[in-house]
Amino acid sequence: QVQLVESGGGSVQTGAFLSLSCVASGSAFSLYAMGWFRQAPGLEREFVAAISRLGVSTQYAASVRGRFTVLRDNAKNTVYLEMNSLKPEDTGVYYCASRATPYNGISDLATDFGYWGQGTQVTVSS
């Protein structure tokens, strides 16, 4: 069982920077690709970014490419989401997720992720 705990959310203005962190429990963190998703009020959860288990490969949603960066530190069991040039449309609850199966590659499908954190709120005002 993997437990994920996100932190770093907050309320900022347009153009600001935020860095989210997600710490995973257990000793097998480096076996799993990780992802970030977000959900705005009244909308479905959407893919934001993903990173392979060793950090070699990354994938981004078109809406955040060039502004967001996903990183991981396997020694610290932590995955990060660095968010630059934030926009009001980036507002939502951000969730960290772990692939359900070890050694699988990155994915942008929520159904491929078996473990989820509780989420952290990001609010961007204009």
Side-chain angles (χ1 to χ4, degrees):
Q1 187 75 12
V2 176
Q3 292 186 325
L4 304 171
V5 179
E6 302 98 333
S7 62
S11 296
V12 297
Q13 292 190 327
T14 298
F17 169 85
L18 271 180
S19 180
L20 307 182
S21 299
C22 171
V23 180
S25 64
S27 59
F29 179 70
S30 65
L31 301 184
Y32 294 86
M34 301 293 294
W36 287 95
F37 292 76
R38 66 187 181 190
Q39 187 167 19
L43 299 179
E44 293 185 355
R45 191 170 299 188
E46 65 173 356
F47 169 75
V48 176
I51 187 167
S52 60
R53 64 183 190 91
L54 298 181
V56 174
S57 299
T58 56
Q59 183 178 349
Y60 297 92
S63 59
V64 306
R65 192 175 298 124
R67 298 188 297 121
F68 290 12
T69 302
V70 58
L71 307 161
R72 67 188 296 162
D73 185 339
N74 287 345
K76 296 182 178 179
N77 276 21
T78 303
V79 61
Y80 306 92
L81 184 67
E82 297 185 341
M83 305 184 293
N84 284 289
S85 303
L86 283 163
K87 305 175 181 180
E89 51 263 44
D90 294 319
T91 294
V93 178
Y94 281 70
Y95 297 91
C96 165
S98 171
R99 285 295 304 266
T101 305
Y103 299 108
N104 278 9
I106 56 177
S107 171
D108 60 0
L109 299 176
T111 51
D112 284 340
F113 292 80
Y115 304 98
W116 295 81
Q118 83 289 349
T120 185
Q121 177 71 44
V122 172
T123 303
V124 185
S125 58
S126 58

